[in-house]
């Protein structure tokens, strides 16, 4: 079985990718610690052609993005063109807009819109992907969890997932159980660890929290995940140092489970 490719979710480093010059310095830093796989999120504004140039210069594999949902709705042709320019075939959104979240009808409307977007992407050789937080594990008036509706009421070719280990745990579900539920529909998984400080959940560098990331890594392998990227929403230390710690520990997790 081929090893999963490991990399960085640039949202973690969002303060260091606001300008072209900073973005280049960040790509160079990531290369220096062994990372050549990225998810693009929180970048710029930097013109897409300039981002594509840096991607090629630093030999980055762009596995997925987080893209504006409004742009997907109103300017999808341009969005798809930009992704092809960067060699990226998967267009993700970070979350559903608030207006859809509170009811069954809202979720159905969101599914309708994203399925239409996903169908157009699929026809153009691309894939739509949805990144979860914890609110998707709330039960609605029909007794179903939002996330289950997203799985069960969509087509795999039109709707795939970017599962997040921390938010699965925070949402009160077993990460491995839900990775199994979306088997074959998740190209990229977000790894972030989960710790408790003063009775409060906190983000943690990979390997320094409470999640069984070895089990989660193996479940990712079993279910066809191609990429794992490190995402830490907030860091208590410099995010670049945080990324280096997490990447080193993630490489160790991969080594001991790929034997």
């Amino acid at each position: 079985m081929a090893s999963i490719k490991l990399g960085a979710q640039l949202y973690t480093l969002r303060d260091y990718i606001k300008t072209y010059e900073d973005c280049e310095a960040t790509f160079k830093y990531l290369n220096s610690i062994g990372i050549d796989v990225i998810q693009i999120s929180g970048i710029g504004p930097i013109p897409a052609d300039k981002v594509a140039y840096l991607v090629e210069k630093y030999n980055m594999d762009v596995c997925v993005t987080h893209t504006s949902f409004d742009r997907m709705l109103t300017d999808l042709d341009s969005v798809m063109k930009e992704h092809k320019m960067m060699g990226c075939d998967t267009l993700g959104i970070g979350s559903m807009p608030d207006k859809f979240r509170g009811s069954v009808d809202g979720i159905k409307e969101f599914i309708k819109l994203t399925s239409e977007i996903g169908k157009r992407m699929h026809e153009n050789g691309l894939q739509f992907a949805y990144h979860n937080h914890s609110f998707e594990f709330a039960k609605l008036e029909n007794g179903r969890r939002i996330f289950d509706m997203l799985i069960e009421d969509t087509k795999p070719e039109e709707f795939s997932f970017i599962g997040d280990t921390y938010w699965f745990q925070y949402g009160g579900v077993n990460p491995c159980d839900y990775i199994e539920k979306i088997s074959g529909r998740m190209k990229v998984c977000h790894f972030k660890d989960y710790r408790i400080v003063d009775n409060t959940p906190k983000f943690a560098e990979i390997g320094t929290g409470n999640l069984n990331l070895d089990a989660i890594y193996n479940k990712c392998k079993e279910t066809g995940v191609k990429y794992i990227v490190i995402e830490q929403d907030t860091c208590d230390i410099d995010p670049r140092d945080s990324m280096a710690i997490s990447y080193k520990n993630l490489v160790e997790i991969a080594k001991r489970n790929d034997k």
Side-chain angles (χ1 to χ4, degrees), residues 201-224:
K202 298 284 187 181
F203 302 114
E205 282 72 37
I206 299 300
T208 68
N210 296 333
L211 289 180
N212 186 346
L213 291 172
D214 288 83
I216 296 170
Y217 181 87
N218 281 301
K219 182 57 68 173
C220 285
K221 283 204 305 182
E222 291 171 16
T223 56

Side-chain angles (χ1 to χ4, degrees), residues 120-171:
R120 284 182 61 194
M121 288 183 187
H122 184 68
E123 290 169 350
N124 284 274
L126 303 171
Q127 180 72 42
F128 172 83
Y130 180 82
H131 170 260
N132 69 280
H133 288 82
S134 59
F135 73 86
E136 293 92 348
F137 300 98
K139 289 185 178 179
L140 297 176
E141 64 267 28
N142 62 357
R144 299 173 70 193
R145 288 185 171 126
I146 294 170
F147 201 83
D148 291 337
M149 291 181 69
L150 298 180
I151 298 170
E152 296 162 8
D153 298 353
T154 60
K155 297 178 180 178
E157 66 272 18
E158 296 172 358
F159 198 108
S160 64
F161 296 88
I162 307 165
D164 187 296
T165 58
Y166 177 95
W167 292 118
F168 283 139
Q169 182 75 19
Y170 193 93

Side-chain angles (χ1 to χ4, degrees), residues 215-248:
I216 296 170
Y217 181 87
N218 281 301
K219 182 57 68 173
C220 285
K221 283 204 305 182
E222 291 171 16
T223 56
V225 171
K226 304 299 183 187
Y227 296 86
I228 290 171
V229 294
I230 298 155
E231 181 185 52
Q232 190 162 324
D233 301 35
T234 58
C235 306
D236 292 335
I237 59 176
D238 186 307
R240 292 164 293 193
D241 295 335
S242 172
M243 181 63 69
I245 292 167
S246 285
Y247 185 67
K248 177 180 180 291

Side-chain angles (χ1 to χ4, degrees), residues 14-199:
R14 58 195 177 276
D15 292 337
Y16 308 97
I17 53 174
K18 296 302 183 187
T19 67
Y20 176 86
E21 293 76 16
D22 285 350
C23 190
E24 179 161 24
T26 295
F27 281 20
K28 186 175 182 180
Y29 171 73
L30 290 173
N31 277 177
S32 77
I33 61 172
I35 294 177
D36 61 3
V37 169
I38 56 172
Q39 173 178 340
I40 290 180
S41 176
I43 195 170
I46 304 169
D49 61 332
K50 290 193 172 185
V51 177
Y53 170 76
L54 291 177
V55 164
E56 183 175 4
K57 180 177 180 179
Y58 290 93
N59 195 33
M60 291 294 183
D61 181 352
V62 183
C63 58
V64 67
T65 66
H66 278 172
T67 300
S68 161
F69 188 54
D70 286 340
R71 282 201 71 204
M72 287 187 182
L73 288 172
T74 62
D75 194 21
L76 186 57
D77 287 340
S78 295
V79 171
M80 291 191 292
K81 182 179 178 181
E82 291 166 6
H83 280 70
K84 289 181 178 182
M85 194 186 303
M86 295 184 293
C88 179
D89 64 4
T90 307
L91 292 72
I93 62 169
S95 188
M96 72 174 70
D98 290 347
K99 65 181 180 180
F100 298 113
R101 299 182 185 185
S103 67
V104 171
D105 286 344
I107 301 304
K108 287 181 177 178
E109 177 63 16
F110 178 73
I111 287 172
K112 177 177 179 292
L113 291 171
T114 51
S115 294
E116 290 168 356
I117 291 168
K119 184 174 186 293
R120 284 182 61 194
M121 288 183 187
H122 184 68
E123 290 169 350
N124 284 274
L126 303 171
Q127 180 72 42
F128 172 83
Y130 180 82
H131 170 260
N132 69 280
H133 288 82
S134 59
F135 73 86
E136 293 92 348
F137 300 98
K139 289 185 178 179
L140 297 176
E141 64 267 28
N142 62 357
R144 299 173 70 193
R145 288 185 171 126
I146 294 170
F147 201 83
D148 291 337
M149 291 181 69
L150 298 180
I151 298 170
E152 296 162 8
D153 298 353
T154 60
K155 297 178 180 178
E157 66 272 18
E158 296 172 358
F159 198 108
S160 64
F161 296 88
I162 307 165
D164 187 296
T165 58
Y166 177 95
W167 292 118
F168 283 139
Q169 182 75 19
Y170 193 93
V173 300
N174 184 317
C176 288
D177 289 348
Y178 267 82
I179 292 170
E180 181 69 38
K181 284 191 176 191
I182 54 178
S183 177
R185 297 179 68 174
M186 179 165 64
K187 172 186 168 187
V188 181
C189 184
H190 283 180
F191 264 40
K192 62 167 71 87
D193 216 333
Y194 181 107
R195 62 192 171 111
I196 300 296
V197 179
D198 295 330
N199 208 35

